[in-house]
Amino acid sequence: MQIQENISLKPYNTFGIDAKARYFGTFKDRDELEEFITHNPQFNTLILGGGSNILLSKDFDGLVLKNEMKGITELHEDNENVYVRAGAGENWHRFVMYCIERSWAGIENLSLIPGNVGASPMQNIGAYGVELEDVFFDLEAFNINEKKVITFTRSDCEFGYRESIFKGKYKDRFVILNVTYKLQKKPRFKTRYGSLEQELQKMGVKELTLKAVSDAVINIRMSRLPDPSKIGNAGSFFKNPLIPNSQFKELKEKFPDLAGHSLLNGEIKVAAGWLIEKCGPQDSVSWKGFRKGDAGCHANQALVLVNYGNASGKEIIELSEEIVKSVYNTFGIWLEREVNII
Ligand code: FAD
Ligand code: EPU
């Protein structure tokens, strides 16, 4: 167990915020994790994966523990599925590529999402018509107070849109150690997401393969989303809001090109990027491309807030609050944050 003091977290968060951790350590297995927690019970603890869904609002006056638990194991298979366990510290995209190479299907639409395996259930990551819960089997997590490992099945995790029990009721109580995915031997492709269908056509794909779908997703993502190694960001800053059909109909009368789609429960998921693009600060019609100091709203994807270099977490939060107010005043919809504020 090695603890470092006063470490800059800038290399450990994709927003590139230069906040400090009072103490910092890494763990490669459950025993190392338990040692850190048992010997330092007085500190607040932050479990860190790839740092791609956090915004550091200030220095962290506690112990940051970076999960580096590795390993990918094929547990067993039946006629239709293969059950694969990955350590929480495995890089998510590398895991996706590993599965595609072995023709294990189900997560190809989730290619190129930054971060690690351990955070994938935290907010039930999703993209291009697939959510993690579609392929989730179970996970093992360490209960910080009781110091024991518990298995969570899919129903235990209470998955929702960008939600799970670990973001809600069990926030900060468990450290996810590994996740087991139930992948398909015969792919059930999901390519109905508008821009994915278009990209596959553009690529001239006649017969779907896991690699073709993954490549199409990667192309779209690279064309729309800022690369965190060039411009700091954490992907979508807000969730797409869910509103009742009646409210959507009223808004549609006023704003005929309002973008949204119906969910099975009758609610409408409205495109937050559209809402943010269609209102703006006092002297401008749109937030899209807006910049104040080094904090900004990305020019290609209004749902992504960015750090052009030296923005502080506080400046990004202030900008996000201005956007929330502006969207509410224009459309009567409150945006909820997706990013975890630390
Ligand atoms: P971190 O940011 O390190 O952690 C996120 C939260 O989970 C923190 O609260 C942390 O304490 C907690 N945590 C992390 N690991 C563990 C663990 N092992 N045990 C307990 N708690 C843990 N997300 C999507 O869903 N879909 C997308 O399409 C998408 N696109 C993105 C594009 C870009 C360019 C970026 C920068 C981000 C995007 N994201 C997307 C958000 C992000 O990549 C995911 O949420 C990802 O799963 C975060 O993983 P991480 O390891 O970086 O988590
Ligand atoms: N749009 C605009 N202006 C913008 C951005 C978007 O009008 O500046 C509208 C367009 O009409 C577009 C629609 O929003 O058709 C949807 O845009 P896009 O396909 O880019 O997806 P999104 O709703 O903005 C969501 C996820 C992303 C995920 C993509 C693809 C959330 C909060 N975000 O974004 O996830 O990659 O769909 O499935 O659900 C993340 O969670 O960090 C993330 C990047």
Side-chain angles (χ1 to χ4, degrees), residues 47 49-53 67 114-116 119 123 125-126 174 176 221 233 235:
I47 304 298
S52 64
N53 206 17
N67 187 326
N116 291 351
Q123 68 158 11
I125 55 169
F174 284 89
I176 295 170
R221 296 184 70 95
N233 75 92

Side-chain angles (χ1 to χ4, degrees), residues 19-47:
K20 283 198 173 63
R22 180 144 173 231
Y23 301 105
F24 181 90
T26 60
F27 61 96
K28 292 199 170 54
D29 55 38
R30 178 228 151 122
D31 290 345
E32 267 189 304
L33 168 68
E34 191 163 349
E35 208 185 330
F36 271 121
I37 287 173
T38 313
H39 286 91
N40 303 285
Q42 70 277 31
F43 297 135
N44 278 337
T45 304
L46 168 67
I47 304 298

Side-chain angles (χ1 to χ4, degrees), residues 310-329:
N310 293 313
S312 64
K314 197 163 158 273
E315 285 167 328
I316 305 271
I317 292 173
E318 277 165 11
L319 172 60
S320 79
E321 284 168 351
E322 282 183 58
I323 291 175
V324 169
K325 267 190 239 145
S326 171
V327 166
Y328 182 75
N329 290 338

Side-chain angles (χ1 to χ4, degrees), residues 127-128 161-162 193 224 236 238 240 271 277 288 301-302 338:
Y128 304 96
Y161 164 59
R162 296 295 189 272
Y193 196 96
R224 289 204 185 150
S236 303
F238 304 101
N240 285 322
E277 180 174 339
K288 199 167 178 171
Q301 226 304 1
E338 178 193 299

Side-chain angles (χ1 to χ4, degrees), residues 30-294:
R30 178 228 151 122
D31 290 345
E32 267 189 304
L33 168 68
E34 191 163 349
E35 208 185 330
F36 271 121
I37 287 173
T38 313
H39 286 91
N40 303 285
Q42 70 277 31
F43 297 135
N44 278 337
T45 304
L46 168 67
I47 304 298
L48 199 58
S52 64
N53 206 17
I54 56 167
L55 177 60
L56 297 160
S57 58
K58 51 182 184 303
D59 290 343
F60 188 77
D61 187 23
L63 173 62
V64 174
L65 288 179
K66 184 159 159 47
N67 187 326
E68 292 191 345
M69 293 178 68
K70 294 282 165 47
I72 301 177
T73 316
E74 186 184 341
L75 293 182
H76 60 272
E77 57 182 293
D78 53 31
N79 286 342
E80 287 177 20
N81 298 104
V82 47
Y83 297 77
V84 186
R85 173 177 285 174
E90 288 286 345
N91 173 272
W92 172 258
H93 180 66
R94 276 205 294 275
F95 175 63
V96 174
M97 293 296 113
Y98 180 96
C99 295
I100 291 176
E101 276 162 25
R102 284 157 184 78
S103 302
W104 298 337
I107 50 177
E108 55 284 354
N109 295 45
L110 304 179
S111 296
L112 211 62
I113 296 182
N116 291 351
V117 160
S120 64
M122 290 296 299
Q123 68 158 11
N124 182 23
I125 55 169
Y128 304 96
V130 171
E131 283 185 313
L132 180 92
E133 63 175 312
D134 303 336
V135 293
F136 178 88
F137 184 68
D138 67 14
L139 64 78
E140 287 185 324
F142 181 79
N143 184 320
I144 293 178
N145 291 330
E146 294 172 12
K147 301 200 178 50
K148 61 179 187 198
V149 175
I150 315 258
T151 299
F152 286 79
T153 62
R154 184 173 139 159
S155 64
D156 295 333
C157 291
E158 299 182 4
F159 288 124
Y161 164 59
R162 296 295 189 272
E163 278 300 340
S164 77
I165 197 163
F166 303 104
K167 229 181 146 177
K169 173 162 101 187
Y170 287 169
K171 190 169 157 37
D172 298 329
R173 285 178 52 188
F174 284 89
V175 182
I176 295 170
L177 304 175
N178 59 61
V179 184
T180 300
Y181 303 90
K182 181 180 171 184
L183 302 174
Q184 306 129 27
K185 290 177 159 178
K186 189 164 173 278
R188 289 195 290 276
F189 291 110
K190 291 193 183 165
T191 55
R192 292 189 60 193
Y193 196 96
S195 49
L196 181 53
E197 252 172 7
Q198 285 161 22
E199 182 61 28
L200 285 161
Q201 267 181 16
K202 201 171 117 193
M203 287 163 59
V205 172
K206 300 263 161 9
E207 205 179 320
L208 289 177
T209 61
L210 298 179
K211 172 87 171 52
V213 174
S214 168
D215 285 347
V217 166
I218 290 172
N219 289 347
I220 304 170
R221 296 184 70 95
M222 294 204 334
S223 69
R224 289 204 185 150
L225 291 163
D227 175 352
S229 69
K230 300 194 175 106
I231 307 176
N233 75 92
S236 303
F237 195 88
F238 304 101
K239 295 183 192 177
N240 285 322
L242 311 179
I243 62 169
N245 198 6
S246 51
Q247 188 182 3
F248 184 70
K249 278 189 183 150
E250 274 172 35
L251 281 167
K252 250 326 217 189
E253 277 172 27
K254 231 168 134 192
F255 308 99
D257 56 342
L258 174 65
H261 74 267
S262 311
L263 302 180
L264 288 175
N265 67 2
E267 283 183 315
I268 310 291
K269 191 190 261 187
V270 178
W274 187 92
L275 299 173
I276 297 169
E277 180 174 339
K278 300 296 176 193
C279 60
Q282 266 161 3
D283 51 354
S284 169
V285 290
S286 178
W287 287 103
K288 199 167 178 171
F290 175 84
R291 176 172 178 170
K292 186 175 180 182
D294 272 354

